[in-house]
Amino acid sequence: MGSSAVFQAVNGRRSYSRVTSLAPTRAELLPLVAAAARVADHGALRPWRLLELRGAARERLGAAFVAASACEGVEAVKLAGKPLRAPLLLAVIASRRVSFKVTAWEQDAVAAGVAHMLTLLLGDAGWGAMWRTGALVRAAPVREVHGLADAEELLGWLYVGGIPADCKPGVRLSIDPEEFLGVV
């Protein structure tokens, strides 16, 4: 145990807060999205979708951040620039389906699972990614930029780009699994 490729990928997972201007193409993303769709999905509802934000779409998102926050001046410029920190943002959307068997929280968990799986697949393909959220995720101007339906919630964005050559190793504190794995 511990030597499989899957174990190594999960154990070595990290977030990249800084990425280069390179990004996967849509054609490169499609097989990764198809593989991420294999996440556990009670009822096979596929209660999620992803949106690519590139170029001017990132600028529109920055403008929505500013509109939602009502900040001005230097603070507004800084906030508007946040979506420009990566060449590709993948919006993760919980797209809830009507179901008497599968609750909304369970459908949201599927969408989150797809996002996490996608970060692992992007890493395996040589891309850096970081899942970003924040107080503005649920703001009306941000919902509008993404064209969300009433039954949809934005869970955040995967900021995706190339891994910088001078990137420092990821550091994550180890846990004692005994503290987190109980018995009933």
Side-chain angles (χ1 to χ4, degrees):
M1 174 130 140
S3 62
S4 78
V6 173
F7 182 89
Q8 293 300 323
V10 172
N11 197 45
R13 191 213 69 81
R14 64 163 294 185
S15 294
Y16 289 88
S17 60
R18 192 171 58 90
V19 294
T20 71
S21 61
L22 299 174
T25 64
R26 182 174 182 86
E28 291 171 315
L29 283 175
L30 291 173
L32 303 180
V33 171
R38 300 286 303 190
V39 72
D41 182 356
H42 184 186
L45 297 177
R46 297 196 175 110
W48 56 274
R49 66 186 180 101
L50 305 167
L51 290 174
E52 292 177 72
L53 287 84
R54 300 178 192 263
R58 296 173 305 139
E59 293 170 6
R60 288 192 301 276
L61 178 57
F65 283 174
V66 172
S69 71
C71 63
E72 297 177 346
V74 175
E75 190 179 341
V77 171
K78 183 178 175 183
L79 187 58
K82 286 192 174 197
L84 304 178
R85 293 183 289 190
L88 169 63
L89 277 60
L90 293 171
V92 179
I93 300 165
S95 187
R96 299 175 185 140
R97 312 290 186 223
V98 174
S99 173
F100 298 105
K101 287 175 52 177
V102 186
T103 62
W105 74 262
E106 198 170 358
Q107 294 185 45
D108 292 355
V110 172
V114 167
H116 183 66
M117 189 76 73
L118 193 51
T119 64
L120 290 170
L121 291 162
L122 285 162
D124 186 59
W127 299 105
M130 182 170 191
W131 189 347
R132 294 186 184 269
T133 59
L136 299 176
V137 167
R138 303 284 165 91
V142 174
R143 287 183 61 84
E144 188 175 315
V145 165
H146 292 82
L148 299 183
D150 290 342
E152 294 183 322
E153 290 292 348
L154 180 63
L155 301 183
W157 305 267
L158 302 183
Y159 280 55
V160 182
I163 298 172
D166 63 347
C167 189
K168 295 177 183 169
V171 177
R172 185 169 294 262
L173 297 176
S174 296
I175 66 155
D176 176 359
E178 291 287 345
E179 291 181 31
F180 296 91
L181 180 60
V183 177
V184 175

